[in-house]
Amino acid sequence: MSTEQSTRQFRGPALGPHDPGYDEARTVVMGGIDPRPDLIVRVADADDVAGVIELARQAGSELAVRSGGHSGAGHSTTDGGIVLDVRDLDSFEIDVPSRTAWAGAGLTAGRYTTAAAEHGLATGFGDTGSVGLGGLTLGGGVGLLSRKYGLTIDSLLAAEVVTADGELLRVDDRSHPDLFWAIRGGGGSFGVATRFQFRLHPVDDVVGGILVLPATAEVVAGFVAAAEAAPDELTTIANVMTLPPVPFVPAEHHGSLVVMALICFAGDPGAADRALAPFVDLAPPLANLVAPMKYANIFLPEDPDYHPTAVSQTMFMKSVDLDTATTILDRLAASDATMRVTQLRVLGGAIARVAPAATAYAHRTSRIMVNVAAFYDGQDDRPAKADWVADLARAIYQGDDGAYVNFLAQDGQAGVRAAYPGQTGDRLERIKATYDPGNVFRRNQNIRPATGP
């Protein structure tokens, strides 16, 4: 295919390897991922989306769909195929009286949240402002309002999806309900979402920010216990890690093991101190930046030129007792990675009040989401860091074989089945066979079409 021929088909720009802006357009967030697509199309509307899908089908090219570019598995791009880039689908239309909004799939969580905050409203997304709504929503959406308002998909009312045959569908609980069920957690295997309709919630001021505690087994286990006992208004993300040279902690603590937690209390500000006290009382904080703020300011600053190289593994756990905490700390201390972390997210709350079969997110009853990660320095260093991650994950495994699809790496079909076990996976495969029997949308944590009844 020629870029010139392809450009004529689309309203949005189509870039080939020799076009200005190509290298910038093909760059994704994670480092160590450097494919060279034959073509990148920054689609302008649903017709462009349908045209790119048809072009990929005719050419037999692998098709990657890119929103924010945060895929840890590198699925936001492709080597030698076509990238369908939805970043310019960034519309935002809010209906304040009904507390709903239509948002383009290329809008970022930060931009949506800032726009909604002008009305004292919010939808719960992840914890990073630059993440695109497309991938985050389709995978489920675990974030800083999850314990109070559920996953992102629990606020999803409808979506517009272009299918493999180029048809634009509006899907909701009445129109194509099977597809609506699938895109609420089932990932990008079923079509290209162009717009989402979300429910908004009254969220204005929160109490949130970073709390840094020295990491001992007692502090790690105590933090998880406090998060489990906390009211639903409080969501935490605890990173047990080596402390980087951050300016808000004295230099003598840099490189030491800490719990660096991101905390968000979205309740009555007068109750915040009582909710936060169990965490602050665990140990004298090395830094306490938790303070009243607008919810739109909860996302931490990001460096757009930062492209980390890391390996990771996602899993669920039932508890973190002293023995488990000790294992985590011992393994972290023994690693020579420049950065290594075990991230602990206590779930429950509104997440667990949705029936497991109600959406394609299958892990409503899982209690703690864990992500083990290590940064590596060059490809020669990667195998050793991958082994370390796998060893630590095995050491703290407690029998829950599930995984969160948005945190999967290059885990293959084993990872897909961990994300979608049993009847959930079977149902997704049947829906896939209806809407994409040729598996056009396969550059993802792929649901393969069922081959029989």
Side-chain angles (χ1 to χ4, degrees):
M1 87 193 65
S2 75
T3 302
E4 181 180 359
Q5 291 173 330
S6 301
T7 301
R8 296 192 190 119
Q9 301 181 40
F10 309 114
R11 290 183 56 214
L15 304 175
H18 303 294
D19 291 323
Y22 169 82
D23 282 330
E24 180 181 359
R26 73 185 180 90
T27 301
V28 295
V29 173
M30 292 298 296
I33 299 172
D34 193 33
R36 297 184 64 84
D38 283 345
L39 185 68
I40 302 169
V41 184
R42 294 192 61 151
V43 294
D45 52 27
D47 287 341
D48 270 3
V49 172
V52 176
I53 294 170
E54 179 61 21
L55 180 65
R57 292 181 64 170
Q58 290 180 354
S61 296
E62 183 175 67
L63 179 66
V65 182
R66 180 210 169 106
S67 181
H70 280 259
S71 169
H75 290 153
S76 304
T77 186
T78 176
D79 201 16
I82 300 175
V83 173
L84 194 165
D85 190 329
V86 303
R87 278 180 287 180
D88 293 336
L89 304 182
D90 59 357
S91 61
F92 181 77
E93 303 166 17
I94 188 169
D95 184 334
V96 175
S98 70
R99 290 183 180 171
T100 62
W102 277 99
L107 200 65
T108 64
R111 288 177 61 193
Y112 178 111
T113 302
T114 298
E118 295 180 6
H119 308 278
L121 300 170
T123 301
F125 294 116
D127 55 88
T128 304
S130 64
V131 170
L133 298 192
L136 183 148
T137 301
L138 296 176
V142 178
L144 293 168
L145 296 177
S146 290
R147 282 170 52 83
K148 185 171 185 180
Y149 293 120
L151 305 173
T152 300
I153 54 173
D154 299 329
S155 295
L156 183 64
L157 301 173
E160 292 180 353
V161 179
V162 181
T163 60
D165 59 7
E167 186 177 3
L168 176 63
L169 303 179
R170 176 186 165 123
V171 300
D172 55 32
D173 57 4
R174 295 179 302 278
S175 178
H176 304 282
D178 54 344
L179 183 56
F180 187 52
W181 178 87
I183 66 169
R184 284 179 291 163
S189 290
F190 305 92
V192 178
T194 58
R195 292 205 306 162
F196 300 103
Q197 186 186 37
F198 292 109
R199 180 181 295 108
L200 290 154
H201 306 279
V203 181
D204 193 4
D205 293 330
V206 300
V207 178
I210 295 175
L211 176 68
V212 184
L213 301 171
T216 64
E218 290 76 14
V219 167
V220 172
F223 191 101
V224 172
E228 290 180 311
D232 290 352
E233 290 81 4
L234 185 67
T235 298
T236 64
I237 303 173
N239 295 293
V240 187
M241 61 189 294
T242 49
L243 182 67
V246 292
F248 49 85
V249 177
E252 61 263 28
H253 298 292
H254 294 172
S256 63
L257 288 173
V258 300
V259 177
M260 181 179 285
L262 182 58
I263 292 176
C264 180
F265 179 77
D268 179 0
D273 286 346
R274 184 169 63 255
L276 294 168
F279 301 92
V280 177
D281 292 345
L282 288 169
L286 303 179
N288 186 354
L289 307 183
V290 180
M293 64 173 68
K294 297 295 183 183
Y295 177 68
N297 296 328
I298 195 70
F299 298 121
L300 300 178
E302 298 176 70
D303 179 356
D305 296 322
Y306 180 56
H307 302 286
T309 55
V311 289
S312 65
Q313 183 169 333
T314 178
M315 59 192 299
F316 292 103
M317 294 175 60
K318 301 173 184 177
S319 65
V320 177
D321 58 15
L322 287 175
D323 287 343
T324 301
T326 298
T327 298
I328 292 171
L329 292 173
D330 287 348
R331 299 300 181 96
L332 288 168
S335 172
D336 63 354
T338 54
M339 181 72 69
R340 58 272 196 192
V341 58
T342 299
Q343 184 182 87
L344 306 169
R345 298 176 184 239
V346 170
L347 304 174
I351 299 172
R353 288 195 288 273
V354 176
T359 67
Y361 179 89
H363 308 291
R364 297 289 182 171
T365 60
S366 292
R367 298 178 61 179
I368 304 167
M369 182 182 292
V370 183
N371 192 260
V372 181
F375 287 32
Y376 61 89
D377 300 310
Q379 287 299 320
D380 290 344
D381 186 42
R382 192 181 191 283
K385 299 306 184 286
D387 287 344
W388 178 87
V389 167
D391 286 345
L392 175 50
R394 279 192 294 269
I396 60 176
Y397 170 74
Q398 295 176 348
D400 189 330
D401 292 315
Y404 176 42
V405 71
N406 279 352
F407 286 171
L408 285 177
Q410 295 176 353
D411 298 283
Q413 283 299 300
V416 173
R417 267 297 174 171
Y420 307 117
Q423 294 183 359
T424 298
D426 294 343
R427 184 178 178 185
L428 287 170
E429 289 175 358
R430 292 193 297 271
I431 296 170
K432 173 75 168 182
T434 298
Y435 290 94
D436 183 20
N439 205 11
V440 173
F441 305 114
R442 59 184 180 273
R443 181 69 176 162
N444 44 48
Q445 303 294 352
N446 190 233
I447 304 295
R448 295 172 177 171
T451 56

